């Protein structure tokens, strides 16, 4: 054990009980080094100066009265904040460490150099500020004080330590303490001195042990970029993002990565040689920009560490990590509690919905799940902050703590750069306002005074629309929702939406629509990837090359993106069943995909044409269906989400079912193997008439009430002329549903419904309960209302 004294304490001797002595940041580093080494969590070694060192520094230089004088002048409006802060910081820089304190810091630095370099050379260190309030040690001052990277040599260390002390009186720190009622003269600062991780030669980032947008607790979200970590923290770059599903971590056979997004990573912070600045930003080389910074193995290791840290602290955590480019080792360099989602009340779900369409101007990462509309104000520099008008939408390149005063006045924020863990994202979450970060070009596209609408209610991507659009805000109470015998499930299309609705009292997803992922995320016709070399459409070929950059095998692009989309949906309801319908585009919809026109026939009635099951065994689409099967296998066998059930749509005859099941088996999806269940959509009268035969081939039925109504009544569901005749509650339709439920139960097979009708008509849901349906899958915004109606009907039936 290293020797401590009044002024210096080694991290290995510090615990969370020492917050009053060394501040929250340094106490957390010590806690991890002491407690998590046995869990193989690596934290760079180092030491911290104590709060006593800070107070003795002030006394030796007679600073307290001089600081008080400057602060009083500011409080009494005799001096602007900027001038007062500048004067105080100058006092620190002009002061000297008392010899006793300086000797202890120098001696500890020599010991650290000896540990890492054998005493042959000075070790490079990160010098971090860790503030604490003497009368309220648990108070957090995160992000307000300075950090200095690549500090080498005793003299530079002493200078950086003084600059840390001085940063206790930045304008933003003074204003924060005044706003929150902290006495400036009762806040001390501890300097943390930690061995630098050579992430300038590799990369670094931030991770959260909770989804920062929705509060979903079962994932770790990891942001990564090349070089030192300041660029990710400050939002100077748009980082890579990885999402890992926690419940399946640690199972050797699974790699539960359920989200992966390549970031621009525009800049890279590295060591500088010579000059007054020890670090510098350079343009990231093109090869690195187009590559993920982390391997899958590294992503999983970081996620495992995040879970270990969260378990130890017993709360969701915000963690900084770095990879050493010389040793290829990963390290944790900071950890603090997550302060936004983990504090949200679980009793109410607030939802936002756009009620009209507008021209889409920009897109980026959505922060928060709200919608906001107002006037844009372009502020490119902190020098222009005074121009900002309250209730405007702040549009800028990036933000830092100096921008917080105007961010508090903003209705929304749009930035050119940044990821989910950048400063703008963190502050907007805390303030409860929507932000769209990493748009790349907001300050060029948008104009001052332009009226815009920010929508962060459409999933992972946030959109900026032209004009002030109407939107609806609703608060849905989750309190007192009854438990029902009938299984209540959800219909989900968007992977991002699955996380958004995780708090709803559902047990599974009755319909996950593959088409949304293909249309909105993949965008390419699967056959155009299978037969890319033969593609005649040059424009399509060029676009496919752009989208699939980095994939040597272009079909892997389809499999990878489809698998990740399905996995995110499946994770949101794990371990409950998630029924994934195989693709059910019609030929005209398939033709609209990139490269699709060369592979689709023209049909006069696509609704009753080459769709659903008939495509899967056809030579025209069999290879495309094989990609869908590969994606399902990846979700179940590699990622580990075995709660995924496959559903076959528009299966006209039992003989067709046999052909589809045979093709699936050829592609590694055998019904019954590894617990795989296969359902069939009941949306054609033949599915009802031949229910016994279909039950012999499938594990369950899911009623598609839209198509079933269309075919039972002979009404095109999209016809405006016949809209009055399209009625899902018609007796003819209800009788078919009753017949199917009875036949399915006789065959000991489950039957549910995933059609629109129960979401729209609570009385229809009551009819289904009366008939004994096993599950009802609803649109998310209908879940609470219909669940209550189902409970009432179940109660009524039980009394009969």
């Amino acid at each position: 054990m290293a020797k401590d004294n009044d002024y210096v304490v080694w991290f290995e001797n510090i615990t969370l009980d020492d917050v009053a002595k060394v501040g929250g940041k340094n106490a957390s580093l010590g806690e991890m080094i002491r407690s998590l080494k046995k869990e193989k969590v690596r934290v760079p070694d180092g030491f911290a100066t104590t709060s006593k060192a800070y107070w003795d520094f002030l006394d030796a230089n007679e600073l307290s009265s001089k600081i008080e004088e400057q602060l009083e002048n500011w409080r009494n409006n005799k001096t602007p904040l900027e001038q007062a802060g500048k004067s105080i910081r100058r006092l620190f820089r002009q002061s000297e460490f008392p010899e006793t304190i300086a000797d202890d810091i120098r001696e500890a630095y020599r010991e650290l150099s000896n540990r890492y370099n054998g005493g042959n050379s000075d070790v490079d260190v990160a010098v971090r500020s860790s503030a604490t309030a003497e009368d309220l040690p648990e108070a957090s001052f995160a992000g307000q004080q300075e950090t200095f990277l690549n500090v080498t040599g005793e003299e530079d260390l002493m200078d950086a330590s003084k600059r840390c002390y001085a940063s206790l009186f930045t304008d933003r720190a003074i204003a924060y303490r005044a706003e929150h009622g902290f006495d400036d003269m009762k806040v001390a600062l501890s300097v943390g001195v930690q061995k630098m991780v050579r992430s300038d030669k590799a990369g670094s980032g931030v991770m959260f042990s909770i989804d920062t947008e929705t509060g979903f607790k079962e994932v770790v979200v990891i942001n990564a970029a090349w070089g030192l970590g300041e660029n990710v923290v400050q939002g100077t770059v748009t980082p890579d993002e990885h999402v890992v599903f926690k419940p399946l971590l640690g199972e050797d056979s699974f790699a539960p990565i359920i989200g992966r997004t390549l970031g621009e990573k525009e800049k890279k912070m590295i060591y500088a040689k010579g000059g007054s600045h020890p670090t510098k930003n350079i343009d990231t080389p093109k090869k690195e920009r187009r590559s993920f910074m982390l391997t899958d193995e590294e992503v999983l290791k970081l996620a495992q560490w995040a879970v270990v840290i969260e378990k130890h602290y017993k709360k969701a955590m915000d963690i900084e990590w770095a990879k050493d480019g010389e040793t290829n080792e990963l390290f944790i360099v900071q950890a603090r509690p997550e302060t936004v989602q983990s504090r949200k009340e679980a009793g109410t779900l607030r939802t936002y919905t756009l009620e009209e369409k507008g021209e889409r101007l920009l897109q980026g990462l959505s922060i928060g799940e709200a919608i906001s509309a107002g006037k844009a104000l372009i502020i490119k520099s902190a020098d222009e902050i005074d121009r900002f008008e309250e209730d405007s939408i702040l549009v800028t390149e990036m933000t830092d703590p100096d921008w917080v005063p105007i961010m508090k006045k903003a209705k929304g924020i749009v930035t050119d750069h940044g990821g989910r863990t950048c400063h703008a994202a963190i502050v907007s979450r805390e303030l409860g306002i929507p932000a769209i970060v990493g748009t790349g070009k907001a300050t060029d596209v948008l104009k001052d005074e332009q009226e815009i609408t920010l929508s962060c209610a459409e999933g992972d991507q946030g959109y900026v629309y032209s004009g002030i659009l109407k939107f609806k805000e609703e608060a849905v109470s989750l309190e007192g929702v009854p438990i029902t015998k009938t299984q209540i499930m959800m219909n989900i299309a968007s992977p991002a939406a699955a996380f958004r609705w995780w708090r709803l009292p559902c047990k599974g997803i009755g319909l996950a629509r593959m088409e949304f992922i293909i249309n909105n995320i993949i965008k390419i016709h699967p056959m155009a990837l299978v037969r890319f070399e033969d593609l005649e459409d040059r424009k399509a070929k060029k676009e496919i090359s752009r989208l699939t950059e980095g994939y040597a095998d272009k079909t892997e692009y389809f499999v990878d993106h489809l698998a990740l989309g399905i996995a995110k949906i499946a994770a949101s309801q794990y371990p409950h069943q998630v029924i994934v319908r195989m693709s059910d585009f019609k030929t005209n919809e398939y033709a609209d995909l990139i490269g699709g026109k060369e592979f689709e026939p023209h049909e006069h009635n696509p609704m009753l044409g080459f769709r659903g099951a008939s495509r899967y065994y056809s030579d025209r689409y069999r290879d495309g269906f094989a990609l869908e099967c590969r994606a399902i296998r990846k979700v179940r066998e590699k990622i580990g989400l075995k709660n995924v059930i496959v559903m076959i749509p528009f299966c006209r005859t039992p003989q067709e079912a046999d052909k589809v099941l045979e093709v699936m088996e050829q592609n590694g999806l055998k019904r019954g193997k590894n617990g795989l269940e296969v359902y069939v959509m009941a949306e054609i009268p033949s599915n009802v008439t031949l229910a016994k035969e279909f039950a012999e081939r499938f594990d369950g039925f899911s009623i598609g009430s839209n198509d079933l109504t269309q075919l039972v009544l002979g009404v095109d569901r999209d016809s405006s002329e016949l809209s009055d005749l399209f009625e899902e509650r018609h007796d003819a339709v209800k009788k078919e549903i009753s017949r199917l439920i009875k036949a399915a139960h006789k065959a000991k097979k489950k039957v549910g419904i995933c059609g629109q009708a129960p979401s729209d008509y609570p009385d229809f849901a009551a009819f289904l309960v009366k008939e004994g349906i096993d599950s009802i899958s609803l649109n998310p915004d209908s879940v609470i209302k219909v669940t209550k109606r189902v409970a009432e009907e179940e109660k009524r039936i039980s009394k009969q």
Side-chain angles (χ1 to χ4, degrees), residues 160 594 630 693:
I594 298 169
R630 275 167 56 189
E693 287 79 0

PDB file of all heavy atoms in Angstrom, residues 160 594 630 693:
ATOM      1  N   ALA A 160      -0.561  22.600 -13.655  1.00  0.00           N
ATOM      2  CA  ALA A 160      -1.903  22.068 -13.954  1.00  0.00           C
ATOM      3  C   ALA A 160      -2.743  21.985 -12.680  1.00  0.00           C
ATOM      4  O   ALA A 160      -3.954  22.244 -12.708  1.00  0.00           O
ATOM      5  CB  ALA A 160      -1.786  20.692 -14.607  1.00  0.00           C
ATOM      6  N   ILE A 594     -34.696   0.383 -53.289  1.00  0.00           N
ATOM      7  CA  ILE A 594     -33.568   0.636 -54.197  1.00  0.00           C
ATOM      8  C   ILE A 594     -33.231  -0.649 -54.960  1.00  0.00           C
ATOM      9  O   ILE A 594     -33.008  -1.701 -54.363  1.00  0.00           O
ATOM     10  CB  ILE A 594     -32.339   1.140 -53.413  1.00  0.00           C
ATOM     11  CG1 ILE A 594     -32.655   2.474 -52.708  1.00  0.00           C
ATOM     12  CG2 ILE A 594     -31.136   1.309 -54.343  1.00  0.00           C
ATOM     13  CD1 ILE A 594     -31.597   2.906 -51.704  1.00  0.00           C
ATOM     14  N   ARG A 630     -31.559 -15.863 -42.516  1.00  0.00           N
ATOM     15  CA  ARG A 630     -30.235 -15.674 -41.897  1.00  0.00           C
ATOM     16  C   ARG A 630     -30.310 -14.648 -40.776  1.00  0.00           C
ATOM     17  O   ARG A 630     -29.674 -14.803 -39.726  1.00  0.00           O
ATOM     18  CB  ARG A 630     -29.217 -15.247 -42.955  1.00  0.00           C
ATOM     19  CG  ARG A 630     -28.598 -16.413 -43.719  1.00  0.00           C
ATOM     20  CD  ARG A 630     -27.846 -15.959 -44.953  1.00  0.00           C
ATOM     21  NE  ARG A 630     -26.814 -14.985 -44.694  1.00  0.00           N
ATOM     22  CZ  ARG A 630     -26.143 -14.325 -45.655  1.00  0.00           C
ATOM     23  NH1 ARG A 630     -26.439 -14.550 -46.928  1.00  0.00           N
ATOM     24  NH2 ARG A 630     -25.209 -13.471 -45.353  1.00  0.00           N
ATOM     25  N   GLU A 693     -56.017 -28.303 -40.570  1.00  0.00           N
ATOM     26  CA  GLU A 693     -54.842 -28.647 -41.371  1.00  0.00           C
ATOM     27  C   GLU A 693     -53.680 -27.662 -41.107  1.00  0.00           C
ATOM     28  O   GLU A 693     -52.505 -28.076 -41.025  1.00  0.00           O
ATOM     29  CB  GLU A 693     -55.188 -28.651 -42.862  1.00  0.00           C
ATOM     30  CG  GLU A 693     -56.043 -29.829 -43.296  1.00  0.00           C
ATOM     31  CD  GLU A 693     -57.524 -29.660 -42.966  1.00  0.00           C
ATOM     32  OE1 GLU A 693     -57.895 -28.595 -42.376  1.00  0.00           O
ATOM     33  OE2 GLU A 693     -58.318 -30.570 -43.283  1.00  0.00           O
TER      34      GLU A 693
END
